[in-house]
């Protein structure tokens, strides 16, 4: 039972740290755009945090699914290997989410939307993508990326190692409990039991579009756009193949061409 308790506490702390991380990211966003934030009342700022929790929890659930499954597998996987995978995964995710956060901070001022897959359009022409971002801002972003990543990694090592060091394989029956815990994350990913899964509009609450945008979880927004394959080489209005589309246009134009020829 001791191993069951230790690993359940690990799951709770790990999930909670990611939710807290995304709340802090919201604070970064509001501070960075302080001139717009000043125009919002205290109640609105509070609602940004409260309403935004829906997507924060959803995104934290996506991130936690692999560690939760690894905890379930720890009844059989050698603990040293299991812990190294969890730590390595967390470090990589921390670096990536911090990179997205700072990219989002830098580009929101110019694009007016939270980060999605739009930057993929400019992968072949990076100069165009960074044309709206000054050198000073890039340097600041890199420094913030390094600092915030190191801070979160330090917190993870400080807090989570307390539990990871106590991991032992445990009873095989414990795996069922941890698989159920991972299953609960699926509900959190969807935002509840409703028919339609959670989306950006779920956190919209204000007439101020800046307040609504501030409530959106930037990482969730990016992942959602990635799943939809938005802006990544696909025209959302392209429903037919090129040959079929050309045939329809040519058939529609044929009578006009005949009339034109007869008149001439």
């Amino acid at each position: 039972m001791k191993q069951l308790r230790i690993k359940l506490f690990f799951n709770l702390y790990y999930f909670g740290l990611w939710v807290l991380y995304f709340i802090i990211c919201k604070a970064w966003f509001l501070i960075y755009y302080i001139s717009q934030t000043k125009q919002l009342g205290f109640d609105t700022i509070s609602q940004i945090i409260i309403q935004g929790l829906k997507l924060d929890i959803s995104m934290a659930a996506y991130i936690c699914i692999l560690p939760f499954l690894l905890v379930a597998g720890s009844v059989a996987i050698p603990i040293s290997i299991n812990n190294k995978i969890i730590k390595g995964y967390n470090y990589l995710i921390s670096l990536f989410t911090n990179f997205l956060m700072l990219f989002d901070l830098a580009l929101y001022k110019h694009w007016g939307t939270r980060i999605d897959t739009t930057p993929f359009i400019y992968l072949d022409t990076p100069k165009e993508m960074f044309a709206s971002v000054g050198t000073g801002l890039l340097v600041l972003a890199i420094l913030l990326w390094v600092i915030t990543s190191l801070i979160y990694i330090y917190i993870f090592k400080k807090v989570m190692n307390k539990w990871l060091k106590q991991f032992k394989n445990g009873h095989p029956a414990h795996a069922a409990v941890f698989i159920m815990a991972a299953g609960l994350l699926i509900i959190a990913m969807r935002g509840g039991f409703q028919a339609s899964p959670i989306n950006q509009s779920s956190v919209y609450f204000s007439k101020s579009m800046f307040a609504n945008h501030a409530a959106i979880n930037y990482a969730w927004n990016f992942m959602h756009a990635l799943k939809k394959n938005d802006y990544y080489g696909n025209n959302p209005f392209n429903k037919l193949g090129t040959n079929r589309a050309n045939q329809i246009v040519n058939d529609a134009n044929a009578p006009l061409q005949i009339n034109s020829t007869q008149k001439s």
Side-chain angles (χ1 to χ4, degrees):
M1 289 298 292
K2 183 179 179 182
Q3 279 300 302
L4 182 64
R5 179 177 59 82
I6 288 169
K7 291 174 182 178
L8 283 174
F9 269 111
F10 170 84
N11 284 354
L12 288 171
Y13 270 85
Y14 189 76
F15 181 79
L17 275 176
W18 274 108
V19 174
L20 178 61
Y21 167 82
F22 287 126
I23 292 173
I24 293 170
C25 288
K26 278 189 174 57
W28 272 110
F29 184 84
L30 291 171
I31 291 168
Y32 189 83
Y33 291 102
I34 191 65
S35 60
Q36 287 152 282
T37 303
K38 284 180 178 178
Q39 299 174 25
L40 307 175
F42 177 78
D43 289 343
T44 301
I45 294 173
S46 299
Q47 284 300 311
I48 288 172
I49 304 299
I50 294 168
Q51 297 298 327
L53 273 174
K54 300 169 189 175
L55 290 182
D56 294 340
I57 289 171
S58 177
M59 190 62 212
Y62 277 104
I63 290 173
C64 289
I65 191 71
L66 179 59
F68 275 38
L69 290 174
L70 285 168
V71 170
S74 67
V75 299
I77 302 171
I79 293 301
S80 60
I81 295 174
N82 189 77
N83 288 359
K84 284 179 181 177
I85 294 173
I86 291 175
K87 289 178 183 179
Y89 169 81
N90 187 73
Y91 298 158
L92 289 173
I93 290 294
S94 297
L95 288 169
F96 181 67
T97 52
N98 275 317
F99 177 78
L100 280 182
M101 177 193 70
L102 296 167
F103 222 102
D104 176 60
L105 281 179
L107 295 180
Y108 180 79
K109 175 171 61 175
H110 304 283
W111 294 1
T113 59
R114 303 307 296 266
I115 190 167
D116 52 21
T117 51
T118 304
F120 287 170
I121 298 173
Y122 302 100
L123 286 178
D124 295 332
T125 55
K127 288 184 179 180
E128 292 181 16
M129 180 169 59
F130 291 108
S132 57
V133 182
T135 304
L137 190 58
L138 280 175
V139 172
L140 177 61
I142 292 170
L143 285 173
L144 284 173
W145 178 41
V146 173
I147 292 169
T148 52
S149 297
L150 289 176
I151 289 173
Y152 186 75
I153 288 170
Y154 173 79
I155 293 172
F156 176 83
K157 290 178 69 175
K158 199 76 175 175
V159 177
M160 306 315 298
N161 277 3
K162 170 186 174 182
W163 304 104
L164 289 175
K165 287 177 180 178
Q166 300 180 65
F167 272 22
K168 295 180 181 178
N169 289 121
H171 195 282
H174 293 170
V177 176
F178 299 124
I179 289 172
M180 288 177 61
L184 291 174
L185 292 178
I186 297 173
I187 299 171
M189 290 176 194
R190 298 189 75 259
F193 295 97
Q194 69 278 4
S196 300
I198 196 169
N199 55 49
Q200 293 96 328
S201 64
S202 302
V203 302
Y204 282 16
F205 69 95
S206 173
K207 294 179 180 179
S208 166
M209 191 51 67
F210 173 76
N212 292 330
H213 285 167
I216 294 173
N217 181 292
Y218 68 93
W220 189 96
N221 198 60
F222 177 82
M223 183 198 66
H224 180 68
L226 199 62
K227 283 198 320 185
K228 290 174 60 181
N229 209 21
D230 284 354
Y231 307 112
Y232 194 49
N234 292 327
N235 186 338
F237 304 103
N238 212 348
K239 301 299 182 183
L240 297 173
T242 303
N243 292 336
R244 177 59 180 154
N246 287 336
Q247 182 183 351
I248 291 173
V249 172
N250 291 336
D251 290 346
N253 287 336
L256 297 176
Q257 293 172 348
I258 293 172
N259 290 338
S260 177
T261 302
Q262 289 175 346
K263 289 180 181 179
S264 59

